[in-house]
Amino acid sequence: MRGCSARLVWVLVLSLAWLGPALGGEEEDGEVVAEEEEDEVVSDELGEEDGVLVLHEHNFARALSEHRLLLVEFYAPWCGHCQRLAPAFARAAAALRNESSPVRLGKVDATAQTALANEFGITSYPTLKFFRNGNRTHPLAYTGRMDTEGIVRWMQRRAGPSATLLQDADTAAAFVGSQDLVVVGFFKDLGSEAAQAFYDVAGEVVDMPFGVAEAAELFEVYGLSADTVCLFKKLDEGRTDFPVDPERGLDVVELTQLLRIHSLELVMEFTNETSDQIFGAKIPHHMLLFLNKSSSAHMALQDGFRAAAGTFRGKVLFVVVDVAGYGADVLPFFGLTPDDAPTLRLVKMENNRKYRMDQDVFSDTAIRAFVQAVLDGKVKPHLLSAEPPEDWDTRPVKVLVGKTFEQVAFDETKNVFVKFYAPWCSHCQAMAAAWEELGERYKDHENIVIAELDATVNELENITINGFPTLHYFPAGPDRKMVEYKSARDVETFSKFLENGGTLPEEPPAVPETPGNSTGREEPSPPGTAEPRDEL
């Protein structure tokens, strides 16, 4: 996810959780890099800021040679996500040093160190890469959470064995009982490909302890006859087994996802503590029961909800949302108020389509039937729409809502240019003046319409908006065409696009400068030339 975004909270809380990673994404590499002064004295000394190594092209090789486990953040000074990560990154560096870990953390200003940025393919900020044993050619992409605890845990797994060897029944029992969630791989040969794949999974899934067992005694104690991965949990069914397929072996991606799915409670409550788990599991549909926890009648509805959940484990995550508690902030995303509870909604996570049960029946049978109908494509999404302002069509920039979009955008006599925006989006705010000026320029044009739609409170059946601002051009005619505009966001470029019928004219080739006119230096481009946008 790219752009200076906050993930929508199911529009704003979802901006921190439901729609995407811990910092809300990465900022695109839209800056041309400032050059170092030619007369700067270079050194391979390893300096530090807040316990983090400050790396550049002259000391990078030395850092790799002196630190066999090195996590490097490639950042841009202007990037908001990088600025928010900086204190967490420094705290992680301090925590790792305090425990005498061989791990070190470093950082590279990728806008100043272009050679390093190009070498490692840095296209967004922040990007974290892990270097082991000085290997410069194959760094490992960081896949953990973007917070102190996540960084520390991820690095600890790479500094030591990813799974603890369990040699007898007593140590195994103590390990299994040590935490609420524990994973143990039982392999008759710890050198097998399946066992190695298990170690790979253990290195990535850092929020659960992993053990491994080879002893025949332990196979017998746990009732196993073949290689099996067991998830032990102090919730729901207590234990889930994943037998290793003798033909296919153990698939790392598949096992990782299975562990994520089955480590969750069958029914989750949406809270500050569980939101990362809910979205991290990447289950494609979420079924939501909105209720008020202070009402005993509402709470009783959870029985049918839970009874229906087991049928869809892995396909649909069942979540309870307290409209009078932490869940209150997500209500606008669904067009709900606390008075609408109790009610049920299903969300398709890939496009945020929402589905509403028409009947107020909360039995497990009714819930199962509704969920299955949605999965089978038999239910139409419930689309939100604000009410249009009274003067929506008299302004230079027409204000569209879900109810009016179709008649305006697909008017066969008009060429309609629409900005899809979010009120909180900084990039939308930055281009607002240009869009208003464009509206003034074309307000009296008989077949060009400039419009805007707040995509956080208006939804369209066949158009999915994945980032803000998104600009779409709908040319006149019966074909219902849509063209996405992806160029510079200034009035003159917008006008060229419109006057040329929805495409930008080809620019003539640049005339080379004569040697006498050349400065010999490239001027850095101003911030924003990559036209970043806030991602959902």
Side-chain angles (χ1 to χ4, degrees), residues 281-294:
K282 301 191 185 304
I283 294 175
H285 303 85
H286 290 181
M287 182 63 179
L288 313 171
L289 170 59
F290 293 88
L291 52 73
N292 189 323
K293 289 183 68 176
S294 65

Side-chain angles (χ1 to χ4, degrees), residues 467-479:
F468 302 126
T470 289
L471 306 178
H472 283 315
Y473 175 76
F474 301 85
D479 298 331

Side-chain angles (χ1 to χ4, degrees), residues 302-346:
Q302 292 184 101
D303 294 340
F305 194 64
R306 173 175 290 277
T311 305
F312 303 99
R313 194 191 270 275
K315 295 180 181 179
V316 183
L317 180 61
F318 281 58
V319 182
V320 171
V321 181
D322 181 10
V323 299
Y326 184 76
D329 288 334
V330 308
L331 294 177
F333 181 67
F334 294 91
L336 297 173
T337 69
D339 292 337
D340 292 313
T343 189
L344 293 159
R345 296 290 187 275
L346 189 146

Side-chain angles (χ1 to χ4, degrees), residues 193-228:
E193 289 186 9
Q196 295 310 305
F198 178 79
Y199 284 119
D200 290 342
V201 174
E204 288 297 322
V205 184
V206 299
D207 50 355
M208 289 181 267
F210 278 66
V212 66
E214 185 180 34
E217 170 196 359
L218 294 180
F219 274 78
E220 183 177 349
V221 167
Y222 290 96
L224 302 171
S225 59
D227 289 2
T228 305

Side-chain angles (χ1 to χ4, degrees), residues 375-398:
L375 298 182
D376 293 340
K378 296 178 180 178
V379 181
K380 286 191 174 183
H382 174 66
L383 302 175
L384 298 180
S385 177
E387 293 299 322
E390 290 185 2
D391 61 344
W392 72 269
D393 59 347
T394 62
R395 302 179 186 183
V397 175
K398 311 306 177 191

